[in-house]
Amino acid sequence: MQIQDLPYPDPGVPDTRSGLRLLWWLERNQLGGQLRALAWGLLHFASVAALPFCVGLAVQAVVDRSGSRLALTGGLLALLCAGNALGDTFLHRAAVTNWVTAAARLQQLLARKAAELGSALTRRVAAGEVVTVSTGDIEKIGWCVEAVSRFTAAAVTVLLVCAALLVYQPALGMVVVAGLPVMAFAVLPLLPHATRRADVQRKKAGRATELASDTVAGLRVLRGIGGEELFLDRYRRASQEVRHAAVRSARMWALIAAIQVLLPGLLLIAVVWYGIHLARTGRITVGELVTVYSSVLILAYPLRHFQEIAMAYSFSRPSAERAARVLSLKRPADSTGTRTADVPSGDLYDPATGLCAPAGRLTAVVCGDPDAAGRLAERLGGHPAEPGTSVLLGGVPLDELPFEAARTAVLVQDKDPVLLSGSLRELLDVPASGNVSAEEALAAAQCDDVLEALAQTMPAAGDPMDARITERGRSLSGGQRQRLALARSLIADPEVLVLDEPTSAVDAHTEARIAQGLRKLRSGRTTVVFTSSPLLLDRADRVVLVHEGTVAAVGSHRDLVRTEPRYRAVVTRETDEERALHDMIRADGGPRAAPAGPPDDDTALRDAVEKMEETA
């Protein structure tokens, strides 16, 4: 796999039993790239490690006044330099390819998991952890995966150099062989401490970033209540904590770097001191001493990869554990047996609550608890936060459908939809049936003023569809974001569309027009709207009241307002005192047939109050 071939057609099924198993799975899937990096690494490191022998031969040739040997050594040096340059170039290319492709594979897996779980993902794993895994953790894991091949090439080179020194000059070779393990493994006990301090710094930095993001997002509100200084003080304290954690982390890494400089220096001193002693006694030549000295000097380069692989593993292990924890999450029905690939049609039925949305009709659901409404909407989409009885579409359990079929059958728009940055045309370019055009969807969602606002902000765009939308649509109002999200859902034109409070941020006149446009555009298609707005409820074919997790009443909006107190309390925001007045009216034998809508309902309340005042 090359970088230009990304993304992967299929990133595979990861081994998520542990972080170490996930790393090993990534290594196995990068085997071809790892072998290429190993081959180029061996050429590079072997060329570098052979240079001291050539230098020693050249010095000895000068001492012996041998021109032919000096010329031969010069040719060999030129050949080694060419091998060094070639190996280093292609080693870097192969290493970067391994890093990027491993990170891309993991990124695709995380994106697939996020799409599979939907909003249930952040209910089972903290949103901050998901962001951490998909950003910094992926880089650390990719670093560990690609560092293995370079470390292997460096380790093989060190072993070959040690063996060659023992054969070339046994006395000094023994000193080098005895000192190399100390150089290679001396810093290993310090790495866990350094990793923990780095993790503390990362967490504190993440906390400071969250504070800054919250402050920027709520700046308008903060100015309104005079809370800028309060949040600024909090950010100052968080920033100072990050600084102190960074200093503590830097001290540990400075100690590790000092050891990596000190130990090779001590080994060089030992080799030179003992080598001079051997040269004075005539046991070695000057060329042999220069060769051994240069070899020890050069070995510091491949030995650095011992520390690098230890650091890469120390950093990537907790990252891999977090990634494995996220990737191991499954849809509640992933453990079921046979799965059908056909997209079913028919009534949408939830056995847990008794909610039924007839096919081809607009069903409005009233639920006094907004959180319960959100969870029920997720269940209707086949993405329950917790395992349970599956929702049925045409008698087929949604949880038993493959992910693609379930998403094609039922689309859920939650109460806080996300608008991705880009042009309006790109925002509305979603998988769709093709039966609903962008113009029809925008008109039904009453987005005319949104198009005008976008055209005014970017007059150079010409067509409002080419106007840019900022990240998460922050340049738009809440109502404008809701209407654009609704238009996006209408374009998709799924078999079943579930909308959770789609008009909570728009004014009443716009809401009435949206209700009319929604009913017209979704005619003959199954639509479920979670709302407490009388304007939407009055347009629904069927209204269902869900109370304490079960269906409590079914009917039209006007009938339920008249006959169901719990429904009326949610829709009209009726207080306990107002409910008591209604009960008093019925107890006194007053008119039992309340007028159809909330405005007439208020008239009845006023009449009841006047009656009480006259009685008093």
Side-chain angles (χ1 to χ4, degrees):
M1 174 64 71
Q2 300 297 319
I3 294 178
Q4 61 264 26
D5 298 328
L6 295 175
Y8 288 95
D10 180 14
V13 180
D15 188 346
T16 58
R17 289 175 289 177
S18 67
L20 184 60
R21 289 180 182 273
L22 178 61
L23 288 173
W24 176 241
W25 179 82
L26 289 171
E27 292 285 353
R28 287 189 287 108
N29 280 274
Q30 298 284 126
L31 186 58
Q34 296 285 15
L35 292 177
R36 284 192 294 272
L38 176 61
W40 291 116
L42 287 174
L43 175 62
H44 169 59
F45 288 117
S47 299
V48 172
L51 289 176
F53 293 94
C54 293
V55 172
L57 291 176
V59 170
Q60 193 61 43
V62 171
V63 173
D64 296 339
R65 299 180 181 275
S66 174
S68 59
R69 277 192 295 161
L70 185 61
L72 180 62
T73 303
L76 185 58
L77 277 171
L79 183 63
L80 291 177
C81 289
N84 178 24
L86 185 65
D88 190 23
T89 300
F90 284 95
L91 171 61
H92 179 73
R93 180 185 179 90
V96 170
T97 300
N98 288 337
W99 190 333
V100 172
T101 51
R105 185 188 300 274
L106 195 55
Q107 187 73 67
Q108 283 184 246
L109 291 171
L110 290 169
R112 186 173 68 181
K113 182 60 63 176
E116 176 185 342
L117 295 175
S119 59
L121 175 62
T122 53
R123 294 183 183 272
R124 302 168 68 178
V125 180
E129 183 170 351
V130 177
V131 173
T132 299
V133 171
S134 60
T135 52
D137 286 342
I138 284 181
E139 294 186 3
K140 296 183 179 68
I141 293 172
W143 175 30
C144 182
V145 170
E146 72 85 13
V148 169
S149 56
R150 290 187 290 112
F151 163 73
T152 304
V156 171
T157 301
V158 169
L159 292 176
L160 292 176
V161 170
C162 289
L165 287 177
L166 287 174
V167 173
Y168 181 72
Q169 181 45 248
L172 287 178
M174 289 299 296
V175 176
V176 175
V177 170
L180 282 179
V182 178
M183 292 173 56
F185 304 112
V187 300
L188 292 184
L190 299 177
L191 288 177
H193 301 285
T195 303
R196 282 194 295 270
R197 293 189 179 186
D199 285 340
V200 170
Q201 177 191 355
R202 180 184 57 80
K203 291 177 181 178
K204 291 185 179 296
R207 172 59 180 161
T209 303
E210 289 177 3
L211 281 174
S213 178
D214 291 343
T215 303
V216 172
L219 189 58
R220 186 178 303 173
V221 177
L222 289 176
R223 286 175 176 171
I225 63 176
E228 302 102 311
E229 288 299 325
L230 175 62
F231 271 75
L232 184 58
D233 289 340
R234 290 182 180 177
Y235 183 75
R236 285 195 186 105
R237 290 194 295 270
S239 179
Q240 289 302 311
E241 290 179 2
V242 174
R243 184 178 67 84
H244 290 308
V247 170
R248 293 186 72 247
S249 178
R251 286 173 179 169
M252 183 58 68
W253 290 115
L255 177 60
I256 291 175
I259 293 175
Q260 291 175 340
V261 173
L262 176 63
L263 293 181
L266 293 176
L267 181 59
L268 279 175
I269 292 173
V271 167
V272 170
W273 178 81
Y274 187 53
I276 291 175
H277 172 72
L278 294 178
R280 284 179 175 176
T281 59
R283 295 169 59 183
I284 63 172
T285 63
V286 174
E288 290 174 338
L289 176 59
V290 171
T291 299
V292 176
Y293 171 81
S294 302
S295 297
V296 175
L297 195 63
I298 291 295
L299 278 178
Y301 171 56
L303 281 174
R304 283 203 299 269
H305 291 77
F306 283 72
Q307 281 81 30
E308 182 189 8
I309 192 63
M311 291 169 59
Y313 177 72
S314 298
F315 279 112
S316 65
R317 185 182 61 181
S319 297
E321 292 288 348
R322 285 190 290 266
R325 187 160 55 250
V326 173
L327 293 175
S328 63
L329 299 176
K330 298 183 181 296
R331 292 179 66 196
D334 280 352
S335 59
T336 59
T338 305
R339 298 166 67 90
T340 176
D342 297 331
V343 178
S345 60
D347 296 347
L348 183 67
Y349 176 67
D350 179 24
T353 60
L355 172 63
C356 179
R361 301 180 67 184
L362 173 59
T363 301
V365 181
V366 175
C367 187
D369 183 358
D371 293 333
R375 291 192 294 269
L376 179 54
E378 291 174 2
R379 281 180 53 77
L380 294 180
H383 302 283
E386 298 177 355
T389 306
S390 175
V391 172
L392 306 177
L393 178 60
V396 178
L398 273 184
D399 288 349
E400 294 186 4
L401 290 175
F403 173 73
E404 294 79 6
R407 276 292 175 88
T408 302
V410 183
L411 175 64
V412 179
Q413 176 183 306
D414 61 22
K415 66 184 65 177
D416 187 21
V418 175
L419 302 183
L420 302 178
S421 60
S423 69
L424 180 57
R425 194 184 308 278
E426 293 170 342
L427 175 71
L428 301 179
D429 185 16
V430 295
S433 66
N435 297 326
V436 179
S437 66
E439 291 76 14
E440 292 173 329
L442 290 169
Q446 299 299 308
C447 294
D448 293 342
D449 64 319
V450 182
L451 296 178
E452 293 177 3
L454 290 174
Q456 290 175 1
T457 57
M458 295 191 66
D463 188 351
M465 297 293 290
D466 295 325
R468 304 292 296 180
I469 297 176
T470 58
E471 187 263 338
R472 299 183 68 89
R474 297 189 187 278
S475 60
L476 304 173
S477 67
Q480 290 173 331
R481 288 196 297 269
Q482 271 193 340
R483 283 177 282 164
L484 285 179
L486 177 59
R488 180 177 59 185
S489 299
L490 293 175
I491 287 177
D493 191 34
E495 181 72 24
V496 179
L497 177 60
V498 180
L499 303 171
D500 187 5
E501 295 289 352
T503 59
S504 59
V506 301
D507 61 83
H509 296 288
T510 305
E511 188 176 30
R513 293 194 296 269
I514 289 175
Q516 182 178 357
L518 177 64
R519 181 179 177 84
K520 180 180 178 181
L521 193 62
R522 291 289 298 174
S523 177
R525 308 288 271 174
T526 307
T527 307
V528 181
V529 181
F530 286 81
T531 183
S532 60
S533 167
L535 294 171
L536 282 174
L537 294 170
D538 197 43
R539 290 282 182 176
D541 298 314
R542 192 167 184 263
V543 179
V544 180
L545 172 64
V546 177
H547 181 68
E548 295 182 352
T550 58
V551 172
V554 179
S556 68
H557 167 61
R558 297 171 184 265
D559 291 339
L560 291 177
V561 167
R562 185 174 58 251
T563 61
E564 178 54 60
R566 292 172 295 185
Y567 178 83
R568 184 171 57 250
V570 176
V571 173
T572 65
R573 278 68 170 177
E574 185 180 57
T575 64
D576 293 338
E577 292 78 5
E578 292 169 341
R579 190 179 301 114
L581 288 176
H582 277 286
D583 295 338
M584 184 179 297
I585 292 173
R586 293 188 179 88
D588 291 343
R592 296 181 179 274
D600 296 333
D601 200 50
D602 293 338
T603 303
L605 286 175
R606 287 195 299 270
D607 293 340
V609 171
E610 292 174 359
K611 181 179 179 180
M612 292 175 64
E613 290 175 347
E614 292 172 358
T615 303

